């Protein structure tokens, strides 16, 4: 048995990284809009530098991104040409509720996604929708402090009820929070958090995390009420942590690093705070702001499936200060001498995907969905705009082969695979355009120059064949 007959092949994007149209049809300002390209981005997305509006000194790539807001029909037609069965996208919260705390939604925003979903359906593509992919209305940040505030639970509930009701019958698969564990590493981008001088960061982070976890369970409850056909998934920035050596202290460090990430999914999938987290938070003097009814809500409304991103494995050491570091998805890791790395230092480890899938499946025993995977690379088009991206095909085919082994040899139940950035888009970590993941080249550079013309790359035709053969033919010819 290989992949399921109804395996959901496709690609993934996020609203703020491709839509543009940041102030059109009533859309409000969001945290992700004001994250510039360039060296200040890191301090801003991590909440260490307060930056809540545009200034004249920076370039803000999300304002126009790749103009998908106006070109989505053309883009979806290209996805359909590759044979996509599913398309993962996210909702721009401020298109629906421009400030975030309104009672009534913005009809123009709702209509935009309705048209987009209908366009997908027209091509036989099932939408897979992330409710929040790193976006938070700026008004909620300025007035309430973002997810540190319990009121966010109500605003998010209003958002989800509006979405589930309006798109009933159009959207079956929903993810509540993109890479929920990234809140620990990019708190402004992940949860609209800007730290105050001298405050206990850990308290703020886990308080905000609790509000997101309660909101995720609340969304599941609302989904069950509105449309029992809906399937809710959580979403983890995954990647197995290896010990730097067989020294027991390194093994313990690796286990602890993994638990820091699994903590979120433990709550979303098992329905309760794990003992190791309760102990650690207590030791650190962090108070989890449990309210009456939270425990029961978390326990009853767990997720239906586990989705995750995988770009790389990680390494942990008991004494990391003496080790070489390498960068990775938002946060860095100890370098693994056995692996090659991308141009951005992300280490390439296809077998790590099989190991990660097994770890997650063993832990939760629920269907898995790989909703991000891919290679960010510099592409050089020829005179006609064509990119021969064999390096991307190598990366993807080796990862799909490993994922196939997890299914065929280990029996992991996998629902689908949506590779990241199926069309070139703005990088979340760096804000660059030149860090490309797509099967489709978009003519635009880091500072907004270019025609925005779309051109299929070599990987476009390769992925089409992969989908056609349900993952049987991964060859590059
Ligand atoms: C994940 C995010 C995506 C995406 C991807 C690639 O963290 O969910 O939004 O961008 O990583 O990262 P980057 O864009 O930094 O290369």
């Amino acid at each position: 048995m290989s992949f399921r007959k109804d395996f959901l092949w496709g690609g993934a994007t996020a609203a703020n990284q491709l839509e543009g149209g940041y102030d059109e049809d009533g859309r409000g300002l969001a945290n992700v809009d004001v994250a510039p390209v360039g060296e200040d981005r890191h301090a801003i997305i991590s909440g260490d530098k307060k930056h809540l509006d545009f200034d004249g000194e920076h370039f803000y790539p999300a304002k126009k991104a790749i103009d998908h807001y106006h070109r989505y029909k053309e883009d979806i037609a290209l996805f359909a040409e590759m044979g996509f069965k599913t398309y993962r996208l996210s909702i721009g919260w401020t298109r629906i509720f421009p400030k975030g705390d309104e009672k009534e939604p913005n009809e123009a925003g709702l209509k935009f996604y309705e048209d987009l979903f209908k366009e997908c359906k027209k091509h036989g593509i099932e939408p897979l929708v992330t409710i929040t992919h790193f976006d938070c209305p700026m008004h909620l940040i300025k007035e309430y402090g973002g997810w540190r505030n319990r009121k966010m639970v109500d605003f998010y509930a209003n958002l989800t009820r509006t979405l589930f009701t309006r798109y009933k019958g159009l959207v079956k698969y929903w993810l509540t929070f993109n890479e929920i564990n990234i809140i620990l590493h990019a708190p402004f981008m992940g949860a609209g958090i800007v730290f105050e001088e001298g405050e206990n960061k850990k308290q703020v982070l886990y308080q905000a995390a609790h509000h997101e976890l309660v909101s995720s369970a609340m969304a599941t409850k609302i989904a069950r009420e509105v449309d029992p056909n809906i399937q809710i998934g959580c979403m983890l920035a995954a990647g197995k942590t290896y010990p730097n050596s067989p020294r027991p202290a390194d093994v313990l460090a690796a286990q602890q690093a993994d638990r820091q990430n699994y903590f979120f999914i433990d709550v979303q999938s098992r329905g309760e705070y794990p003992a190791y987290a309760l102990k650690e938070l207590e030791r650190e003097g962090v108070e989890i702001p449990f309210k009456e009814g939270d425990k029961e809500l978390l326990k009853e409304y767990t997720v239906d499936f586990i989705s995750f991103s995988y770009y790389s494995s990680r390494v942990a050491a008991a004494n990391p200060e003496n080790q070489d570091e390498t960068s990775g998805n938002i946060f860095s890791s100890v370098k693994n001498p056995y692996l090659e790395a991308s141009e951005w230092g992300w280490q390439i480890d296809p077998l790590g995907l099989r190991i990660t899938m097994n770890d997650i499946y063993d832990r939760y025993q629920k269907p898995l969905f790989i909703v991000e995977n891919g290679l960010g690379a510099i592409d050089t088009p020829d005179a006609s705009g064509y990119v021969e991206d064999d390096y991307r095909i190598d990366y993807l085919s080796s990862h799909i082969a490993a994922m196939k082994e997890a299914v065929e040899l280990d029996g992991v139940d996998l629902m689908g695979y949506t590779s990241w950035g199926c069309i070139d888009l703005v990088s979340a970590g760096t804000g660059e355009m030149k860090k490309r993941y797509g099967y489709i080249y978009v003519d635009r550079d880091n500072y907004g120059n270019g025609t925005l013309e779309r051109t299929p790359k070599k990987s476009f035709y390769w992925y089409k064949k992969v989908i056609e053969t349900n993952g049987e033919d991964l060859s590059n010819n």
Side-chain angles (χ1 to χ4, degrees), residues 14 17 88 133-134 178-179 182 189 235 237 309 311 329-330 346 372 376 420 425-431 435 437:
Q17 293 173 255
R88 174 178 176 230
H133 190 126
F134 296 152
N178 179 63
E179 298 192 332
I182 289 296
M189 189 163 78
M235 200 307 200
S309 61
Y311 293 91
N329 187 5
I330 306 288
W346 296 25
E372 284 186 35
W420 175 249
L425 40 61
V426 176
S427 158
T430 70
K435 189 180 187 192
Y437 288 85

Side-chain angles (χ1 to χ4, degrees), residues 353-371:
L353 174 58
R354 178 173 170 191
I355 298 167
T356 300
M357 289 171 72
N358 274 288
D359 254 28
I360 300 178
Y361 193 60
D362 282 353
R363 197 170 178 110
Y364 304 114
Q365 314 256 299
K366 287 186 184 177
L368 306 188
F369 205 140
I370 298 170
V371 296

Side-chain angles (χ1 to χ4, degrees), residues 50-71:
K50 189 170 182 175
H51 185 82
L52 303 184
D53 217 331
F54 302 120
D55 61 19
E57 291 160 36
H58 295 94
F59 178 74
Y60 298 95
K63 279 185 162 181
K64 188 157 184 165
I66 61 157
D67 197 31
H68 180 73
Y69 190 66
H70 298 110
R71 296 167 195 245

Side-chain angles (χ1 to χ4, degrees), residues 385-418:
Y386 182 71
V387 178
E388 210 154 318
D389 53 346
D390 293 299
Y391 39 91
R392 185 167 292 107
I393 296 174
D394 285 350
Y395 178 99
L396 292 167
S397 60
S398 60
H399 283 75
I400 295 174
M403 137 182 140
K404 212 165 160 207
E405 287 175 355
V407 172
E408 284 179 3
L409 306 180
D410 307 325
V412 170
D413 183 11
L414 183 67
M415 299 164 67
Y417 174 83
T418 57

Side-chain angles (χ1 to χ4, degrees), residues 52-226:
L52 303 184
D53 217 331
F54 302 120
D55 61 19
E57 291 160 36
H58 295 94
F59 178 74
Y60 298 95
K63 279 185 162 181
K64 188 157 184 165
I66 61 157
D67 197 31
H68 180 73
Y69 190 66
H70 298 110
R71 296 167 195 245
Y72 71 88
K73 288 191 180 164
E74 176 189 351
D75 295 341
I76 291 170
L78 287 166
F79 300 157
E81 199 183 321
M82 275 184 277
F84 278 23
K85 312 284 180 213
T86 190
Y87 169 42
R88 174 178 176 230
L89 65 135
S90 81
I91 298 283
W93 187 339
T94 57
R95 286 202 193 285
I96 313 297
F97 290 100
K99 289 163 74 182
D101 57 358
E102 303 92 332
K103 290 260 167 315
E104 295 306 319
N106 170 30
E107 174 52 32
L110 283 171
K111 178 81 169 55
F112 169 68
Y113 292 108
E114 182 180 331
D115 291 346
L116 195 154
F117 297 146
K118 286 185 171 157
E119 194 64 23
C120 288
K121 293 279 184 174
K122 194 175 101 189
H123 290 286
I125 296 174
E126 185 72 44
L128 163 62
V129 183
T130 318
I131 297 165
T132 50
H133 190 126
F134 296 152
D135 65 343
C136 182
M138 191 57 82
H139 173 76
L140 298 185
I141 295 171
K142 288 185 176 164
E143 287 299 309
Y144 304 91
W147 279 97
R148 66 169 76 214
N149 194 320
R150 175 82 192 195
K151 288 204 173 87
M152 293 297 282
V153 175
D154 298 331
F155 304 141
Y156 188 84
N158 195 26
L159 172 69
T160 51
R161 187 177 292 282
T162 304
L163 298 175
F164 297 154
T165 308
R166 175 66 173 248
Y167 304 127
K168 187 171 173 176
L170 268 180
V171 180
K172 181 174 172 193
Y173 300 106
W174 296 88
L175 308 178
T176 49
F177 291 91
N178 179 63
E179 298 192 332
I180 190 163
N181 49 324
I182 289 296
I183 190 176
L184 301 179
H185 309 279
F188 181 66
M189 189 163 78
I193 289 169
V194 182
F195 293 108
E196 308 290 339
E197 193 75 28
E199 70 180 339
N200 178 348
K201 286 188 171 184
K202 205 154 186 179
Q203 173 64 42
V204 175
L205 290 174
Y206 280 91
Q207 182 172 317
H210 182 72
H211 297 149
E212 291 196 350
L213 292 166
V214 168
S215 287
S216 181
M218 182 66 85
T220 310
K221 179 174 190 286
I222 295 169
R224 303 268 183 275
E225 287 162 15
V226 174

